[in-house]
Amino acid sequence: MSETPTTMQAVVMHAPEDYRLENRDVPTPAPDELLIKVEAVGVCASDLKAYAGAAKFWGDENRERWVEPGITPGHEITGEIVSGTAEALAHHEVALGDRIVVEQIVPCEECMYCRRGWYWMCDPHDMFGFKHYDGGMAEYMIVPALARAHKISPEIPPHHAAFAEPLSCSLHAVERAGIQFEDVVVIAGAGPIGLGAIIGAAHKTPRMVIALDFDEHKLELARKCGADLTLNPSKVDIYEEIRGLTGGYGADVYIECTGHPSAVGQGLNLLRKLGRYVEYSVFKENVSVDWSIISDDKELDVRGAHLGPYTWPAAIKIIESGVLPLEEICTHQFGLKDVQKALDTVADSAGASVKVSLLPGT
């Protein structure tokens, strides 16, 4: 390992739509902390919404913002451990030179949720790149003692390793769905989260995994990730198609991964009675649906999913196995100086991007 410099470049949030690349001191880890050299950090829709100044709850401008001024964004992180005491290394069960990925949340381990093992719903909810802890849009970053770190192979490209974060989220959504062998599973959206949900659902070996998207290239990726059938709602009547495949009943499971309000009502209508709806997306706009479909009409199970608790080892195993077409999923990489281009690429819904990443060392 080369000697760690004293200064670094880091993206710093000053205000909504005001992210600046600045020179900062390389942070010095405390005795129970690690210092990593960031190799890659993914950029996702939540980064874009935070950049735009989104509040924690849409439509309420009095709520606190997702991102604190002065913080370095970025929560899909991988990097090499370059500094840490024996105590810190032993705590995380790692060694100097290891490549790690870190979970998004830094749980307090003291609130009711943490004490009951529900750490991903930690009440303070401190997350890398949003609140309290600087994230990965920098050349170096501190990994505190409360963080959850996982080793990942240094043999795979860094931007592929960083995909462990969205993949772990997708796998949690799949776990929430309670998929059974006889189920017909519909996954709306073949972006990063949807593609991860497709491979996760395929690993559950249900009767059929159906992917929905308006982009034919993304539907091709969905097939490579394990979808048995792909449908473009602009070209076919998806309700007729899915009813025809299920004896007129409808799908057993619907996992929403688009973040578009129309996909919510779509899912409720595609499901059979007693079906299971899983919502992963964060919405820019309020969503309105006929709730009588959920209750009086179908008695549906509606389940949320947040972050990727307990799914990181599985996500890492999938990435290291090589079964995902990550060269085609991880489409765009930028240096820190091009953070605005990275955000704009994520925002361009008509563009060809799937997963966008920053590579701080380039």
Side-chain angles (χ1 to χ4, degrees), residues 183-187 197-198 201-202 206-211 226-230:
D183 285 344
V184 171
V185 180
V186 176
I187 296 169
I198 289 163
R207 178 154 60 99
M208 181 176 289
V209 177
I210 302 172
D228 301 297
L229 176 66
T230 59

Side-chain angles (χ1 to χ4, degrees), residues 39-43 76-78 99 101 152 156-166 319 326-334 355-360 362:
E39 296 177 295
V41 56
V43 184
E76 301 180 7
I77 303 156
T78 189
R99 174 191 279 172
V101 288
I152 191 167
I156 57 178
H159 52 294
H160 294 184
F163 193 70
E165 192 276 345
I319 290 171
L326 286 169
E327 286 292 347
E328 298 176 72
I329 294 172
C330 299
T331 52
H332 290 70
Q333 296 84 48
F334 299 92
K355 185 69 235 175
V356 175
S357 303
L358 294 173
L359 308 180
T362 62

Side-chain angles (χ1 to χ4, degrees), residues 6-65:
T6 57
T7 60
M8 67 174 185
Q9 288 194 311
V11 176
V12 180
M13 185 273 197
H14 286 266
E17 299 187 6
D18 184 7
Y19 283 16
R20 305 175 197 173
L21 185 61
E22 299 180 355
N23 287 318
R24 285 194 160 189
D25 291 338
V26 173
T28 301
D32 60 352
E33 296 176 335
L34 302 174
L35 179 70
I36 64 169
K37 182 178 182 180
V38 180
E39 296 177 295
V41 56
V43 184
C44 79
S46 62
D47 290 309
L48 187 65
K49 289 167 184 172
Y51 171 76
K56 279 188 172 182
F57 297 89
W58 296 104
D60 186 347
E61 295 305 315
N62 295 318
R63 295 281 186 173
E64 66 177 291
R65 298 292 174 180

Side-chain angles (χ1 to χ4, degrees), residues 146-164:
L146 290 172
R148 297 191 172 212
H150 306 270
K151 288 193 287 187
I152 191 167
S153 171
E155 301 301 316
I156 57 178
H159 52 294
H160 294 184
F163 193 70

